[in-house]
Amino acid sequence: MKYQLTIIFTFIIGCHLSAQDILTPIPFNEVTLEDQFWLPRLEKQKDVLVPFALDKTKPAVENLRRTGNYLKGIPDELPFTHRYISSDLYKVMEGAAYLLKLERDPELEKEMDRIIDIIADAQQKDGYNYESHITGVAKHDIGGMGEKPYSWVVHSHELYNMGHMYEGAIAYYQATGKDKWLKVAEANARHINHLFFEGDPNYNDGKPVNQAPGHQEIELALVKLYRITGDTLYLNMAKRFLDIRGITYRPDGTGVMLPEYAQQHAPVREQTKAVGHAVRATYLYSAMADVSVYTHDLTLRPALDSIWHNIVDTRMHITGGLGAVHGIEGFGPEYELPNKDAFDETCAAVGNVFFNHRMFLMEKDGKYMDVAEVALLNNVLAGVNLEGNRFFYLNPLEADGIKPFNHGNKGRSPWFGTACCPSNLARLIPQVPGLMYATTLNEIYCSFYGGCSTTITLDNGTVHLKQTTEYPFGEQIFYEISPVSGEQIFTLKLRIPTWTKDQFVPGKLYHYKDPKPSEWMIKVNGEKVTGDTEKGFVTIHRTWKKGDKVELYLPMPVQFSQAIEQVEADRGRISITRGPLVYCAEGVDNKNILPNVFIPKKSDKYKNRNIYRCYSQWNT
């Protein structure tokens, strides 16, 4: 089967979407990391995290193997009952695929092929994939899975698992060119389209299920499937799942059956605030942004804008953490942002990165990348230790060393019964190179900073771009620009982060107390360039010549931030930041006298104000 890598756009009547309108990210595999911040982490992914996670997901492989034997009539034990364990495997495999694209590894590829054969064997002939219903063990958890396939879509995770399978299959096809797993994914997607939107006599009495999943994921995965295959069926499916959400089905209950829990309380275009389970929410908002871009559906954008502002104005920790409330693992009332009791699931921070990167691509506005950067550096990376084999599920901003957190364990855990967070880390960090640049016809957006090299093809020609920096610690970012033709006219756009101004992160929640001057500066070939920022970017348009050099200086004084008065938990407290990083006070560095830490007396303005105990990457 041959797949086309070009994107085919669909339109609504009266709208035109040109290539110049689309901001397209440079893929992760076309950007080579070369710095001392991200490159060691990528190497740790390859050497430790992904092999470690593949070992931990062996029970999911075994479940699939037993399901395949069941379908082939081979006597074997039945799989154990579980709603979503396969999704963790698919996410780890997605991360492994990214690593294979960056550097081929015959042994890892062989293991991936072995598991893919098992996945294919566990698929019914009609495309259905769900071990517990296929083998009948779902009867042990009817309350979680329903009596029959797709009879309890609100919590069965049948579509959620498949979304992660699609993403893994796409990544592996991109990495190796092998399409066996991609064919499995497409067969499942066509199966879901048929019975959800057309009707299948073998399911739901032949009537279309016509219900959006309780845990979002398949929507954004379908957009990816459309992009890799060019088949508009998948894009239309993603849009239909969005269109019926909160319309054809609304839960009626409390806790996880609240309509707000899975954002099913209203049609998506009428939603204005971030509510419910934070991971589900950010996956939904990511899909809405994707569908808006690729169908040019402008009706989704007012809701996205309102929800984004509601998050950054009322519901986000300064670390970029989302979903502060336990129980629902999600958004509580506005301004309810506890420190010691914060939930802030690692997966929610991953979702925050996904959502804001897509908003940036949709709106070409740097403020979204500012949020993505803060969430990635201060919450996502906090989810794994520097060795790559211990994890946080929760990310509270304060811990006293006495009250346990993180599911009853002090410190980090090697794995979790619900292992969505470590498996999400396995797939996100290898994608970081894909955040660095995005282009239109003749514009290059420098959207994320880290030492790397890439080759970018614009409408006017091809450009080699080398970025050198010690960011996020260093204040200088250097670019060497070399058009292949020798000379080329195009526009370079450099992101000027929010933290260089009067607040650390976009939104109304946090502001610097007496901000220190932070005048950024740009030089081209040693000469200072002046310009205003527009949507968070400074524009340099010129005829570029081979070897041209650009220097961006982003000063990083230590800043003190305060939350607005409505955030009760932060009254009388400050946060310390430098550049894009939030710093924490740790017992090991403070003679274990925490939490009794204060700003030194010489800073009289902050005397007797407690410091946030922010768990950033630096507590290992």
Side-chain angles (χ1 to χ4, degrees):
M1 186 180 296
K2 185 177 181 180
Y3 298 95
Q4 58 189 71
L5 298 179
T6 55
I7 298 172
I8 302 172
F9 301 106
T10 58
F11 309 96
I12 54 177
I13 296 175
C15 294
H16 174 67
L17 189 62
S18 70
Q20 183 66 30
D21 293 323
I22 293 290
L23 187 56
T24 304
I26 301 301
F28 73 96
N29 56 292
E30 295 181 14
V31 179
T32 302
L33 292 177
E34 299 168 340
D35 67 358
Q36 293 305 307
F37 185 84
W38 288 109
L39 181 58
R41 284 166 172 78
L42 192 63
E43 292 170 343
K44 191 66 67 175
Q45 289 277 126
K46 183 178 185 300
D47 296 337
V48 179
L49 200 158
V50 167
F52 179 81
L54 276 175
D55 182 69
K56 290 293 186 180
T57 51
K58 282 181 178 178
V61 178
E62 180 63 13
N63 256 14
L64 288 162
R65 189 192 64 78
R66 292 175 181 179
T67 302
N69 284 345
Y70 177 86
L71 288 172
K72 290 183 285 188
I74 299 174
D76 198 353
E77 293 182 46
L78 293 176
F80 60 86
T81 307
H82 206 289
R83 288 182 293 157
Y84 47 78
I85 191 172
S86 61
S87 69
D88 298 330
L89 170 66
Y90 300 147
K91 282 184 282 186
V92 175
M93 293 178 70
E94 181 186 352
Y98 293 136
L99 294 176
L100 283 174
K101 184 64 179 177
L102 295 168
E103 182 181 355
R104 294 300 283 265
D105 180 333
E107 288 301 313
L108 178 58
E109 190 170 333
K110 181 179 178 181
E111 176 63 8
M112 290 281 284
D113 288 340
R114 183 187 73 85
I115 298 173
I116 289 168
D117 288 341
I118 291 172
I119 294 170
D121 288 344
Q123 182 177 52
Q124 287 187 172
K125 290 182 179 180
D126 66 356
Y128 183 58
N129 298 71
Y130 194 71
E131 303 92 287
S132 293
H133 273 311
I134 289 174
T135 60
V137 300
K139 63 186 177 183
H140 302 303
D141 184 20
I142 291 177
M145 301 182 180
E147 294 185 4
K148 300 177 181 179
Y150 305 118
S151 61
W152 194 233
V153 176
V154 65
H155 284 306
S156 67
H157 285 68
E158 285 161 287
L159 302 187
Y160 169 81
N161 295 346
M162 292 302 95
H164 281 304
M165 186 181 79
Y166 300 170
E167 292 198 83
I170 292 165
Y172 194 65
Y173 172 70
Q174 290 177 310
T176 66
K178 298 176 182 179
D179 65 2
K180 181 172 184 175
W181 196 10
L182 190 59
K183 289 179 180 178
V184 171
E186 285 205 86
N188 178 265
R190 290 191 295 270
H191 155 80
I192 288 173
N193 179 71
H194 178 54
L195 70 95
F196 268 74
F197 302 122
E198 299 169 356
D200 187 313
N202 296 315
Y203 299 86
N204 198 40
D205 298 324
K207 296 178 293 185
V209 176
N210 203 34
Q211 181 179 335
H215 198 314
Q216 301 90 321
E217 157 61 23
I218 195 172
E219 301 90 341
L220 65 88
L222 283 165
V223 177
K224 281 190 173 183
L225 197 57
Y226 151 70
R227 291 182 63 187
I228 197 67
T229 66
D231 191 335
T232 56
L233 169 68
Y234 309 130
L235 180 62
N236 293 333
M237 285 176 66
K239 187 175 186 303
R240 291 191 73 169
F241 276 126
L242 295 180
D243 290 343
I244 65 174
R245 186 165 212 88
I247 296 177
T248 61
Y249 172 81
R250 293 189 190 183
D252 182 16
T254 59
V256 298
M257 288 303 292
L258 275 171
E260 290 82 3
Y261 176 73
Q263 300 77 44
Q264 294 172 311
H265 59 292
V268 294
R269 292 168 181 81
E270 297 175 17
Q271 297 188 27
T272 58
K273 297 182 178 182
V275 297
H277 190 275
V279 181
R280 298 169 198 243
T282 52
Y283 285 7
L284 170 65
Y285 308 149
S286 297
M288 289 169 65
D290 273 345
V291 168
S292 177
V293 168
Y294 291 111
T295 69
H296 204 42
D297 184 349
L298 304 183
T299 66
L300 289 164
R301 299 194 180 190
L304 286 168
D305 182 66
S306 179
I307 289 167
W308 184 84
H309 276 287
N310 182 252
I311 289 173
V312 300
D313 291 345
T314 72
R315 287 185 161 97
M316 186 175 75
H317 275 114
I318 196 167
T319 56
L322 301 182
V325 177
H326 290 248
I328 63 168
E329 302 182 343
F331 299 104
E334 293 179 344
Y335 311 110
E336 186 172 323
L337 294 165
N339 295 306
K340 187 179 294 185
D341 295 324
F343 196 85
D344 284 8
E345 182 182 346
T346 299
C347 280
V350 171
N352 203 13
V353 175
F354 288 160
F355 173 39
N356 277 278
H357 185 228
R358 286 165 168 82
M359 288 293 288
F360 157 63
L361 296 174
M362 183 176 77
E363 297 289 358
K364 304 184 181 74
D365 194 325
K367 67 184 180 184
Y368 301 113
M369 286 305 299
D370 296 346
V371 176
E373 176 180 70
V374 166
L376 177 59
L377 292 175
N378 298 290
N379 195 328
V380 173
L381 288 188
V384 59
N385 65 351
L386 292 176
E387 287 75 24
N389 58 7
R390 294 293 185 272
F391 306 93
F392 279 158
Y393 192 107
L394 284 64
N395 293 273
L397 277 73
E398 179 181 348
D400 56 19
I402 299 173
K403 181 180 178 180
F405 64 97
N406 219 26
H407 292 277
N409 297 316
K410 292 183 180 180
R412 300 183 185 275
S413 172
W415 205 247
F416 306 99
T418 299
C420 51
C421 295
S423 55
N424 245 341
L425 288 163
R427 74 185 184 123
L428 175 60
I429 294 176
Q431 296 182 67
V432 166
L435 303 176
M436 299 287 180
Y437 303 102
T439 65
T440 59
L441 283 180
N442 283 300
E443 296 174 317
I444 298 175
Y445 283 75
C446 299
S447 49
F448 197 76
Y449 299 124
C452 62
S453 295
T454 188
T455 299
I456 297 173
T457 300
L458 301 172
D459 193 52
N460 287 343
T462 300
V463 183
H464 295 308
L465 202 62
K466 181 177 178 63
Q467 181 183 168
T468 305
T469 183
E470 293 181 1
Y471 193 91
F473 302 115
E475 300 174 318
Q476 293 174 297
I477 300 124
F478 300 93
Y479 291 95
E480 182 174 331
I481 299 169
S482 297
V484 171
S485 63
E487 290 189 3
Q488 189 173 329
I489 299 174
F490 64 87
T491 299
L492 190 73
K493 289 179 174 282
L494 301 173
R495 179 171 63 92
I496 308 299
T498 297
W499 57 258
T500 64
K501 303 163 191 173
D502 58 359
Q503 61 188 112
F504 178 67
V505 67
K508 298 179 180 179
L509 280 170
Y510 309 102
H511 61 278
Y512 290 144
K513 180 69 175 176
D514 299 323
K516 299 177 179 63
S518 180
E519 294 293 329
W520 54 268
M521 181 176 63
I522 296 175
K523 293 182 180 179
V524 177
N525 295 329
E527 296 185 6
K528 188 175 179 179
V529 173
T530 59
D532 296 326
T533 57
E534 182 179 357
K535 287 189 170 184
F537 286 88
V538 171
T539 297
I540 307 173
H541 180 78
R542 68 195 301 269
T543 299
W544 298 92
K545 298 180 180 179
K546 187 173 182 178
D548 277 347
K549 292 178 172 56
V550 176
E551 177 186 348
L552 172 62
Y553 174 60
L554 299 174
M556 296 181 178
V558 173
Q559 301 277 18
F560 298 95
S561 289
Q562 286 184 316
I564 57 177
E565 189 67 18
Q566 291 95 318
V567 184
E568 184 177 354
D570 291 345
R571 293 174 188 168
R573 297 177 179 232
I574 60 171
S575 179
I576 299 177
T577 64
R578 181 180 180 273
L581 299 175
V582 180
Y583 284 83
C584 64
E586 296 182 280
V588 68
D589 300 318
N590 292 277
K591 300 180 181 179
N592 292 314
I593 62 172
L594 293 177
N596 299 312
V597 176
F598 304 90
I599 293 295
K601 185 176 181 179
K602 63 182 179 180
S603 299
D604 291 333
K605 294 176 183 177
Y606 306 109
K607 186 178 180 181
N608 295 328
R609 292 177 185 241
N610 285 344
I611 304 173
Y612 281 128
R613 273 72 73 184
C614 292
Y615 274 76
S616 68
Q617 173 63 22
W618 324 122
N619 71 306
T620 59

